[in-house]
Amino acid sequence: MNKLISDIRELLKKALDNKVIDALLLPVKVPAGDSYSWVILKDDKLLEKASPIPPVISVQGARAISSLTRRGKLDFKIATFMRPCEARATIELAKLAQADLDDVVLITFDCPGAIELKKYTEKPEEVEKEFSELMGNWESDVIRTICKMCDKFTCVDDGFATDLHIGLIGLNGKMAFIPRTEKGKKFLSGLGLKSEENLNDWEKKSRELIEKKRNKRKELQNKLKPQVVGLDALSKTFAKCINCRICRSVCPICYCRQCYFDSEKLKFTPDDYLIRAEKSGGIKFLPDTLLFHLGRMTHMALSCVSCGTCEDACPMDIKVAQIFSIVGDNVQKLFEYVPGRKLDEPLPLTVYKEEEFKELEV
Amino acid sequence: MEDKIGIFLCECGPNIAEKVDFDKVKEAIKNLKSVKFIGQHKLLCSDDGKKYIVNAIKEHGLTRLVIAACSPKQHELTFMKVCEEAGLNPYLFQMANIREHCAWIIEDKKEATEKAIQYIKSAYRRVRYHEPLEKKEIEANPDVLVIGGGITGLEVSLALAQSNRKVYIVEKSSELGGKLKEFNKIFTSMRDAKSFVEDKIKLVEQEKQIEVLKESEVEEVLGYFGNFIVKVKTQSKESELKVGAIVVATGYELFDGDSLAHYGYGIDDVYTALEFERMVKTGKILTKKGEPPKSVAIIHCVGRKECGYCSGVCCMYSIKFARYIKEKMKDAEVIEFHRGLTLPDKNYEKFYKDTKALGVNYIYVKDLLIEGNTKPIIKYKTEEGQFEKQVDMVVLAQAMVPPKGIDKLAKTLRIAQDKSGFFIEEHPKLAPISTSKEGVFIAGCAQGPKNIKESIVQAGAVAGRILSSLVPGKKLEPEVRVSQISESLCIGCQTCIKVCNYGAIYFDEAKRVSRVNEVLCRGCGNCVASCPSSAIQLKHFTDREIHEEIVEATR
Amino acid sequence: MGKLLEFKRPVEEGLKELLKTLLEGGKLKAVFTLTKKDDAVFYTLIKDAKKLEETTPLLPLMPVNAGKLLSRLTLKESLEEPIAVVIRPCELHAFVELIKREQGSLENFLFISMTCGGVLPIDNIAKNELDTKLNKYFESIKNVKVPDEVRPACKMCQNFLPYNADMVVDFWDKDINKTCRIFVNDTGEKYLNGLGFELKNTNQGLDYEEEKFKNLLALKKENEKKILESYKIEEWGMDGLVKIFGKCVGCHSCSRVCPICYCNLCEFDSDQYEYAPSTYSTELEKRGGVRVPPNTILFHLGRLTHVSISCVGCGMCEDVCPVDIPVSIIFSGISKEVQGLFNYTPGKDIKEDLPLSTFKEEELNEFEE
């Protein structure tokens, strides 16, 4: 893995030197060496400390791109290296005018998964070592559960929109350059590189892996369902939620300035609460924990990319990502929508199809 | 400043008083915070009742009202006027319907009273969050823009000009008159089409109030009903028009799809309807070889399956075609292959029968296909079986479809199209000539396939509507209960813009937030429902107001 | 404090008995206290006295600072009828600080607190070792030692005796399985009138002069010294801040769980601090690299400026931090100094105005120097 990372670094350095792009947006190891943060950089020294494939997702890449381009296009060209789930979330944000990708070359790679952030925070060196040994192992046990069940870790068969994808599966440590857009092709040619002609091995192995991961996803989701299907089960699972809202703040899709569930509209008089307490003898205070989670599901499930940042952050270890992914998968299937698949594919929320009314009439 | 809320209970004669125990109601509401006056009256909507309210407001300095009476649909406006009379903003008042929702539907007095109390408390709780809203008035420009110089556009323009309005006609081609000037005759009168249209054109050209822009297209439309600013491009020159209303009379084209080949188009002597009309206008009906055809087949319903609708006109014009042929060649064999004849008008049946009497054959087919090398061969299926017939000439009666490139105009005007591409009317029965965008009207085939008579009727309707709603000097009162966006909460995702039917929201690039044009907003609330962070609220129906009412009602 | 109520019952049982009697005796409209159910711990608002049996008022866990909750309860209107709340000193103090900012109302509350031994970090709630840890905790309480298991903020907390409580449960140095001791002030006494409880006069003080509390205070001061020395905040400068906050992911949860952070829309979440593309360009040219999203340290320093005068050292911030930054140590450490500058103790005196809105002419002289 370390060799791969330094090879990619070389590439990116070349891109900077050859002025193919003006700056890079990459995860860089922080000065204290205990985490990574996204940095937009030009400086070679910073590039040395960058890791295009960090062992953890500290900040979801889509949040970084959004912060960079929300207020308008950059006046310089950049390239960024992101995990597929981060790229997909970026595409979703672009649809919502929260990111501008015009001058961004989005580069993705076959993702082996990421490790729990809490684990990394405790023992960064150990986790770095664990992760570096992941090269070639696409079914590792050390990655997060949400990664174990991810079937969108590669872009074979148009899994997601990207400018340039680096294929790694089944290639014995080699990199296959797979441009998907004109921008990607231009980037490659600016580096004097050729796009990979023979993708047969990569496609075959990737499809096999996807099949395996899909089955794993079904298996793990079925195991989890009894804990969340039905009001009683769901209440029990979320009973320990302390309403800290961290799942919402780290989620790339939750882009609202002020969450509806924190707004004035849901602040009531003492009497309102007391009457509710009267009805059942006693209520959790503040009540409506489930309202927040179900409401958040309603608002973002269509674009949920199962990146797992929410679960990584939850202080009460609730399996937020896995639960939200169950809803996300089902809702996305209903609308035949895959978040991050295509930039010009509109969000189902704003698409009106007359025939859908008939389903309601019946 | 302290709120002084007044709650008025209406007995509504015996209607409410007999079913709701007012003493219990008064007991339940007397301690509500800020309630400074509770009144009861036999009939609040009567003159005496209204005076009672006005006096109470003035005497007690009431700042908000709850009126527990009948349905708002009945008397909300009445009581709003009463508020205005008493110097109170009419939006600082809420009605509680204790007649239709309580007294009239609940037999048990105790139950009805309990429900009435709940309703009144909910209204009281809601009204505390009402904001005073001011009615607005805007100046309106009485001029009109008509897009399309065909028969419909000409009719509208003349009707408006004759009532002294200034009208601009923007016509894409280099001539007025539309499709009609290419026709030979008009059914059922079989009158000359050209002279009919030319008369209209002459009137328009003589009319000083009408300004015609030929070879022109509408590029951009800004503004709102009463105040549109339209950018028009004439060849390469740009000009700006200021109008109060816009009429879309862009007409139609004939079906031109791939399946024309299925009907033999491409084989010699298979003609489209328009090609045939043009041929007839030259005075002679001749095959490619220069001979008069001995047999002519007229094929109905060309494109009907693909379009998914009946154009309602082609049967009639096919019969007209049959007449053309019989007029020129009495002995020619004329067969009309149809899938059921559409003859809805009072004169149509006679037209058909008279034509049939000239010796025209009508064959009802289930399936039809035309092949051939030198001469067209019609292969068709009826209830009796499969048949073949070779003819000298075939005329295709095509469906009417929207003109190509009309999508661009729909986007420019921000009006909706149905899935066939015709512009959608506001309501198929109750509002067939206006669109969801106030001030933009549709007439003629722009709205859907129709014949000349219907087009002229719609033209008249549109003109009438414009004349009555856009009166010179009369000011317009736009909707007051409109959406508003909190700049600090808006994150600029533009979801509201995507779901707004009225084009009433625009994006402020500098601040990167969305903004509402309050004159265009119709208060439908689509944007409010779609904003995930509730940065956009509907005045008088804010989440807060609605929540308070519901929370109280469900306690 | 005035009187003492003492009975030979396990402490939590005794307290629950007291609450039940108050509720059933019509003295209270409801009781607000902690409950543990399976692996969840949360505050509950209880009207049915039977439900009190399920509660765990003295469980040393804090899923949320109750001051924040009481503020939410009384934000729109004050209570019309009495509610008894069982909360920790820092939670009560936080509530008082919020009242000073018009974020609630004190009316009709019966405040019941305790001489606090601290709380365990919330990640213990769902763990198997919770019971073992709790046993060790109460052992320390009995021996008047600071429990090892508690939050770092609790280890150094020197405000473990509640101000403004009407009843205070004391369980240091007594066997909590045998005795329930509750100090009661005048207000508390009024509530207990006619309910058959025997109140004794007492000489024992509920202040830091009382021997066992004096000893504890000394232990806490030692802890504070040790902890702060290991961090050496005063030597940090910008580099030190960068090191400590380097792994911050900008989730702002520390702010969301902080009782003193009450703003509807934090200015650091607003569009004010977003960088325009031109700002990124300029900064990138200047420095060669810019962290994205920006303003990591600005957020913490800004928040510190806003809350430090009222920080009660509850430690919620550090508990929720997903990357284990010692937020509560930094914040309570620095806040203590800021409060010292103004001679201000949060939550102590309800009538004392916030230093932010008080003007003292002589303080200007300090600047002139």
Side-chain angles (χ1 to χ4, degrees):
Chain A
M1 180 71 80
N2 291 333
K3 174 156 191 318
L4 177 65
I5 289 179
S6 68
D7 283 345
I8 296 173
R9 240 189 250 131
E10 276 308 305
L11 265 171
L12 296 172
K13 183 169 187 307
K14 201 166 170 204
L16 267 181
D17 291 340
N18 291 7
K19 298 218 190 318
V20 178
I21 35 110
D22 301 307
L24 293 164
L25 178 66
L26 292 173
V28 170
K29 206 154 210 195
V30 296
D34 52 4
S35 190
Y36 290 85
S37 81
W38 289 92
V39 176
I40 176 124
L41 59 91
K42 282 182 147 175
D43 184 301
D44 278 349
K45 282 197 241 51
L46 275 171
L47 182 51
E48 282 307 303
K49 298 206 202 95
S51 171
I53 308 183
V56 290
I57 301 181
S58 56
V59 170
Q60 231 274 10
R63 269 181 75 205
I65 291 248
S66 172
S67 171
L68 202 52
T69 60
R70 253 212 86 240
R71 298 204 77 81
K73 265 188 256 294
L74 294 168
D75 43 20
F76 50 92
K77 291 194 173 44
I78 69 165
T80 181
F81 213 83
M82 283 194 182
R83 294 185 138 89
C85 57
E86 296 177 301
R88 292 171 62 213
T90 303
I91 302 284
E92 290 303 288
L93 286 181
K95 291 180 190 178
L96 290 158
Q98 300 303 299
D100 189 317
L101 295 175
D102 274 359
D103 290 315
V104 178
V105 179
L106 197 55
I107 311 175
T108 51
F109 55 95
D110 289 339
C111 178
I115 302 196
E116 250 180 67
L117 185 60
K118 289 193 188 87
K119 211 168 154 198
Y120 187 87
T121 314
E122 260 177 68
K123 314 187 178 106
E125 272 135 34
E126 202 181 292
V127 171
E128 289 280 2
K129 186 162 176 293
E130 237 175 19
F131 190 72
S132 66
E133 288 161 4
L134 270 188
M135 197 62 235
N137 178 3
W138 300 99
E139 294 173 87
S140 163
D141 256 332
V142 308
I143 57 179
R144 303 174 305 170
T145 309
I146 196 72
C147 296
K148 286 188 189 137
M149 39 198 274
C150 171
D151 64 344
K152 295 202 166 53
F153 53 92
T154 177
C155 75
V156 74
D157 298 330
D158 287 325
F160 49 83
T162 174
D163 289 314
L164 172 64
H165 187 80
I166 315 263
L168 299 166
I169 296 171
L171 298 172
N172 285 326
K174 238 186 60 181
M175 280 192 277
F177 299 109
I178 309 167
R180 292 283 194 179
T181 61
E182 280 310 311
K183 224 195 277 169
K185 285 198 192 112
K186 247 181 104 185
F187 182 80
L188 263 189
S189 61
L191 290 172
L193 289 168
K194 281 213 159 40
S195 70
E196 184 60 51
E197 297 282 310
N198 184 3
L199 291 172
N200 290 333
D201 282 340
W202 174 74
E203 279 178 6
K204 183 159 171 279
K205 191 91 205 292
S206 297
R207 289 195 187 112
E208 273 170 32
L209 270 167
I210 291 176
E211 191 57 39
K212 280 199 192 142
K213 289 286 202 94
R214 275 212 182 122
N215 289 334
K216 189 83 186 168
R217 194 177 185 87
K218 246 187 252 161
E219 179 200 318
L220 288 173
Q221 285 187 345
N222 284 334
K223 234 168 104 184
L224 186 60
K225 276 192 186 152
Q227 285 177 43
V228 292
V229 173
L231 197 54
D232 285 334
L234 199 63
S235 299
K236 195 151 179 266
T237 303
F238 278 106
K240 58 181 187 251
C241 170
I242 57 171
N243 294 304
C244 67
R245 302 289 196 254
I246 201 174
C247 48
R248 180 216 151 231
S249 17
V250 298
C251 174
I253 309 300
C254 277
Y255 61 87
C256 295
R257 259 202 216 296
Q258 183 192 58
C259 182
Y260 173 73
F261 300 98
D262 292 330
S263 70
E264 282 306 288
K265 293 127 199 162
L266 294 178
K267 294 186 178 164
F268 302 112
T269 66
D271 235 11
D272 290 328
Y273 294 115
L274 285 166
I275 290 187
R276 286 173 72 171
E278 176 101 56
K279 290 208 176 117
S280 45
I283 52 168
K284 174 176 173 177
F285 201 84
L286 280 160
D288 302 330
T289 304
L290 267 188
L291 179 68
F292 166 69
H293 289 285
L294 291 173
R296 194 167 90 86
M297 274 181 211
T298 312
H299 286 186
M300 61 72 73
L302 269 172
S303 293
C304 177
V305 295
S306 299
C307 66
T309 321
C310 48
E311 198 166 310
D312 254 356
C314 177
M316 301 307 290
D317 292 327
I318 299 176
K319 300 193 169 92
V320 191
Q322 293 176 54
I323 299 169
F324 273 59
S325 294
I326 295 178
V327 177
D329 286 359
N330 278 292
V331 150
Q332 289 161 22
K333 199 159 122 205
L334 205 61
F335 289 95
E336 291 162 344
Y337 181 75
V338 176
R341 173 169 54 189
K342 264 196 290 191
L343 186 53
D344 57 10
E345 184 175 4
L347 292 161
L349 177 67
T350 51
V351 172
Y352 170 65
K353 285 200 181 147
E354 202 180 310
E355 61 259 25
E356 282 171 356
F357 273 121
K358 303 206 174 76
E359 292 166 33
L360 292 172
E361 285 169 29
V362 170
Chain B
M1 226 193 59
E2 211 208 313
D3 254 336
K4 297 196 184 117
I5 303 181
I7 303 185
F8 294 84
L9 309 171
C10 185
E11 291 176 24
C12 195
N15 279 297
I16 302 178
E18 274 179 10
K19 279 289 165 51
V20 173
D21 185 343
F22 275 12
D23 286 332
K24 279 218 172 67
V25 171
K26 283 193 268 195
E27 186 61 36
I29 61 176
K30 71 172 187 219
N31 287 326
L32 289 174
K33 228 191 255 184
S34 306
V35 171
K36 293 289 187 266
F37 176 80
I38 300 176
Q40 183 173 337
H41 191 278
K42 277 209 152 37
L43 199 65
L44 283 175
C45 56
S46 64
D47 279 339
D48 188 66
K50 290 193 237 175
K51 231 182 263 163
Y52 176 67
I53 300 175
V54 172
N55 286 340
I57 294 175
K58 291 193 174 145
E59 198 184 312
H60 298 270
L62 298 178
T63 57
R64 285 167 201 267
L65 297 189
V66 171
I67 297 183
C70 53
S71 163
K73 259 199 139 75
Q74 181 124 35
H75 277 305
E76 186 167 62
L77 280 173
T78 313
F79 295 128
M80 282 172 80
K81 285 208 185 78
V82 169
C83 289
E84 280 177 312
E85 235 186 84
L88 183 62
N89 187 291
Y91 292 94
L92 293 174
F93 130 79
Q94 178 74 359
M95 269 183 92
N97 185 348
I98 59 171
R99 189 182 74 177
E100 278 86 334
H101 284 199
C102 303
W104 275 4
I105 55 167
I106 303 176
E107 272 310 309
D108 180 71
K109 192 163 186 179
K110 186 161 169 275
E111 243 186 85
T113 308
E114 268 170 27
K115 189 172 180 184
I117 293 173
Q118 218 172 1
Y119 263 55
I120 295 169
K121 278 191 175 165
S122 302
Y124 150 80
R125 193 158 165 176
R126 188 197 203 282
V127 85
R128 288 166 71 191
Y129 291 90
H130 283 200
E131 294 279 316
L133 300 174
E134 296 304 329
K135 278 202 231 177
K136 280 196 280 276
E137 271 184 352
I138 51 170
E139 289 277 357
N141 184 333
D143 299 347
V144 185
L145 166 67
V146 176
I147 306 178
I151 187 66
T152 308
L154 296 173
E155 275 294 315
V156 178
S157 309
L158 285 170
L160 288 168
Q162 276 153 19
S163 297
N164 245 332
R165 296 296 176 92
K166 169 105 191 156
V167 183
Y168 301 94
I169 302 182
V170 168
E171 165 56 49
K172 198 166 64 175
S173 74
S174 53
E175 285 176 39
L176 292 173
K179 297 279 183 307
L180 200 45
K181 60 181 189 294
E182 301 190 65
F183 285 17
N184 188 26
K185 301 205 175 150
I186 314 174
F187 65 74
T188 57
S189 59
M190 294 308 269
R191 192 185 140 175
D192 182 54
K194 186 158 183 244
S195 58
F196 174 65
V197 152
E198 280 182 348
D199 285 347
K200 297 279 176 199
I201 295 175
K202 213 178 281 170
L203 283 172
V204 162
E205 283 173 349
Q206 284 169 355
E207 183 55 67
K208 277 196 285 266
Q209 296 280 96
I210 304 180
E211 190 178 318
V212 180
L213 290 92
K214 294 186 189 156
E215 291 181 271
S216 303
E217 281 192 58
V218 170
E219 291 286 305
E220 194 183 26
V221 175
L222 298 169
Y224 42 86
F225 178 47
N227 272 304
F228 286 114
I229 302 173
V230 183
K231 287 208 173 67
V232 177
K233 205 170 191 186
T234 307
Q235 291 171 347
S236 43
K237 245 182 32 186
E238 274 190 13
S239 56
E240 201 179 81
L241 301 175
K242 289 201 171 74
V243 294
I246 301 176
V247 181
V248 183
T250 45
Y252 67 96
E253 274 170 13
L254 289 176
F255 176 77
D256 189 17
D258 294 331
S259 60
L260 279 187
H262 183 93
Y263 295 100
Y265 191 65
I267 304 172
D268 277 352
D269 292 314
V270 174
Y271 298 105
T272 65
L274 214 47
E275 285 169 352
F276 187 66
E277 280 272 12
R278 288 191 199 120
M279 188 202 296
V280 174
K281 239 175 126 161
T282 66
K284 296 197 180 61
I285 302 177
L286 300 171
T287 64
K288 279 224 162 52
K289 290 205 179 84
E291 289 157 10
K294 291 202 194 68
S295 55
V296 184
I298 304 173
I299 315 292
H300 291 218
C301 299
V302 174
R304 177 172 173 182
K305 195 160 160 211
E306 294 84 335
C307 292
Y309 54 81
C310 166
S311 300
V313 170
C314 348
C315 281
M316 281 307 290
Y317 77 64
S318 302
I319 300 172
K320 179 182 72 169
F321 285 177
R323 286 242 183 149
Y324 285 166
I325 301 165
K326 280 294 185 181
E327 273 170 13
K328 294 249 177 316
M329 300 158 300
K330 216 163 41 126
D331 296 318
E333 187 187 5
V334 182
I335 315 169
E336 298 210 41
F337 292 91
H338 67 93
R339 314 240 183 178
L341 293 171
T342 304
L343 309 169
D345 183 275
K346 61 184 174 180
N347 294 318
Y348 288 4
E349 186 109 12
K350 182 170 188 304
F351 191 68
Y352 156 65
K353 286 204 172 113
D354 290 347
T355 309
K356 194 168 181 193
L358 295 174
V360 176
N361 278 331
Y362 287 85
I363 301 184
Y364 176 77
V365 296
K366 291 182 129 159
D367 223 343
L368 187 142
L369 152 70
I370 299 183
E371 288 174 339
N373 280 325
T374 45
K375 284 203 175 176
I377 302 173
I378 304 170
K379 296 188 172 155
Y380 61 98
K381 183 172 163 191
T382 68
E383 269 176 358
E384 274 97 50
Q386 192 83 27
F387 301 94
E388 256 183 46
K389 174 125 184 109
Q390 191 184 71
V391 291
D392 290 337
M393 184 183 283
V394 171
V395 182
L396 302 176
Q398 300 134 279
M400 289 166 112
V401 297
K404 280 193 198 43
I406 201 71
D407 293 359
K408 182 163 162 269
L409 185 62
K411 275 205 177 68
T412 306
L413 288 169
R414 276 192 144 266
I415 55 177
Q417 296 165 281
D418 65 15
K419 54 182 191 289
S420 308
F422 292 106
F423 295 110
I424 299 186
E425 59 272 35
E426 199 173 358
H427 188 284
K429 292 208 170 76
L430 305 175
I433 50 164
S434 46
T435 62
S436 58
K437 183 157 176 156
E438 188 153 24
V440 176
F441 300 90
I442 46 177
C445 293
Q447 184 265 336
K450 53 178 64 68
N451 60 36
I452 297 163
K453 185 172 91 175
E454 287 162 4
S455 297
I456 292 179
V457 166
Q458 273 199 340
V462 168
R465 175 71 67 80
I466 293 176
L467 287 170
S468 61
S469 60
L470 210 53
V471 177
K474 180 171 166 198
K475 294 211 169 98
L476 297 172
E477 268 182 28
E479 173 65 65
V480 159
R481 294 164 299 188
V482 295
S483 294
Q484 52 187 344
I485 297 178
S486 158
E487 207 176 295
S488 58
L489 292 178
C490 175
I491 192 131
C493 71
Q494 300 184 44
T495 304
C496 53
I497 295 180
K498 293 192 182 107
V499 300
C500 176
N501 242 339
Y502 303 100
I505 310 182
Y506 61 97
F507 191 60
D508 181 337
E509 288 288 344
K511 287 222 164 108
R512 298 206 74 84
V513 294
S514 299
R515 290 195 191 286
V516 176
N517 178 330
E518 294 197 352
V519 174
L520 278 179
C521 176
R522 299 253 201 133
C524 75
N526 242 8
C527 51
V528 179
S530 68
C531 176
S533 38
S534 286
I536 186 165
Q537 291 288 302
L538 192 60
K539 282 191 199 178
H540 205 65
F541 291 96
T542 58
D543 281 354
R544 181 96 243 182
E545 285 162 326
I546 298 177
H547 274 211
E548 292 289 323
E549 195 172 3
I550 294 178
V551 165
E552 185 64 48
T554 53
R555 270 170 136 203
Chain C
M1 256 217 186
K3 302 236 168 75
L4 178 65
L5 177 63
E6 189 166 21
F7 35 99
K8 300 253 179 296
R9 291 271 271 288
V11 69
E12 201 169 65
E13 241 188 71
L15 177 59
K16 277 155 76 163
E17 170 87 23
L18 175 66
L19 293 168
K20 188 161 182 266
T21 313
L22 283 166
L23 193 55
E24 281 175 343
K27 300 285 189 139
L28 299 172
K29 178 107 176 175
V31 171
F32 175 95
T33 185
L34 204 63
T35 302
K36 180 174 190 291
K37 193 158 179 212
D38 301 321
D39 61 356
V41 176
F42 43 86
Y43 276 101
T44 39
L45 186 63
I46 297 191
K47 289 213 74 183
D48 183 352
K50 277 197 255 25
K51 285 245 149 126
L52 278 172
E53 280 155 34
E54 301 164 6
T55 62
T56 54
L58 298 173
L59 191 65
L61 285 163
M62 190 190 288
V64 53
N65 186 306
K68 217 172 169 65
L69 298 179
L70 297 184
S71 157
R72 273 295 286 270
L73 179 61
T74 54
L75 189 62
K76 295 287 160 189
E77 279 170 18
S78 49
L79 295 179
E80 281 175 19
E81 284 171 275
I83 295 185
V85 305
V86 184
I87 57 178
R88 302 213 159 248
C90 57
E91 296 176 305
L92 178 53
H93 302 161
F95 186 42
V96 169
E97 290 301 293
L98 284 167
I99 302 281
K100 293 185 186 181
R101 292 166 170 83
E102 308 297 331
Q103 297 303 300
S105 161
L106 283 174
E107 259 179 73
N108 279 315
F109 273 109
L110 174 62
F111 290 114
I112 305 177
S113 190
M114 69 288 283
T115 51
C116 182
V119 295
L120 275 61
I122 53 174
D123 58 10
N124 286 298
I125 293 177
K127 290 214 175 86
N128 293 330
E129 316 100 58
L130 181 60
D131 284 327
T132 330
K133 286 202 176 164
L134 284 173
N135 285 337
K136 284 213 205 110
Y137 174 91
F138 287 114
E139 240 348 88
S140 303
I141 299 286
K142 187 161 150 207
N143 300 325
V144 195
K145 293 266 174 291
V146 179
D148 248 341
E149 298 73 27
V150 298
R151 291 175 173 165
C154 298
K155 287 198 183 131
M156 41 191 251
C157 168
Q158 290 155 47
N159 289 299
F160 51 89
L161 299 179
Y163 302 112
N164 299 305
D166 301 310
M167 298 187 189
V168 182
V169 179
D170 175 32
F171 47 83
W172 290 94
D173 95 11
K174 294 285 183 290
D175 190 340
I176 53 151
N177 290 320
K178 298 219 181 86
T179 327
C180 177
R181 289 158 56 86
I182 305 180
F183 288 87
V184 177
N185 72 0
D186 290 338
T187 311
E189 203 180 334
K190 277 204 207 96
Y191 275 91
L192 294 176
N193 242 338
L195 291 177
F197 287 103
E198 205 192 301
L199 291 166
K200 290 193 292 225
N201 284 319
T202 175
N203 285 330
Q204 188 190 320
L206 212 51
D207 53 48
Y208 296 101
E209 291 308 308
E210 187 66 28
E211 196 184 327
K212 67 177 174 186
F213 298 135
K214 200 167 167 183
N215 294 338
L216 266 169
L217 190 65
L219 287 172
K220 296 287 190 99
K221 284 205 162 115
E222 230 182 271
N223 282 340
E224 183 188 53
K225 193 157 167 257
K226 251 191 266 160
I227 293 174
L228 288 179
E229 243 162 42
S230 73
Y231 281 100
K232 287 204 176 26
I233 302 177
E234 64 277 9
E235 290 178 14
W236 279 359
M238 197 59 195
D239 284 339
L241 280 169
V242 167
K243 263 185 133 164
I244 275 284
F245 286 112
K247 52 185 175 164
C248 171
V249 297
C251 66
H252 294 191
S253 317
C254 44
S255 160
R256 255 177 259 284
V257 298
C258 173
I260 312 303
C261 277
Y262 64 88
C263 292
N264 275 333
L265 180 63
C266 177
E267 73 172 319
F268 298 100
D269 289 333
S270 72
D271 62 353
Q272 272 187 49
Y273 294 92
E274 282 179 352
Y275 276 17
S278 55
T279 313
Y280 276 115
S281 299
T282 321
E283 292 300 308
L284 189 57
E285 277 312 312
K286 266 203 304 202
R287 307 195 246 148
V290 183
R291 205 172 133 133
V292 178
N295 301 325
T296 309
I297 295 178
L298 179 66
F299 165 71
H300 289 287
L301 292 179
R303 192 170 93 83
L304 192 54
T305 315
H306 290 185
V307 308
S308 52
I309 197 66
S310 295
C311 175
V312 294
C314 67
M316 281 301 309
C317 46
E318 191 163 328
D319 254 11
V320 294
C321 179
V323 289
D324 291 332
I325 295 174
V327 190
S328 75
I329 296 173
I330 301 167
F331 272 60
S332 32
I334 297 178
S335 297
K336 189 151 173 243
E337 294 213 17
V338 168
Q339 290 160 16
L341 273 177
F342 294 95
N343 230 341
Y344 182 79
T345 308
K348 184 169 179 186
D349 183 352
I350 182 67
K351 292 202 186 51
E352 186 178 6
D353 278 331
L354 290 166
L356 179 67
S357 43
T358 13
F359 170 64
K360 287 202 181 139
E361 203 177 309
E362 65 260 26
E363 282 171 352
L364 278 177
N365 299 338
E366 292 169 17
F367 285 106
E368 286 168 29
E369 281 155 38

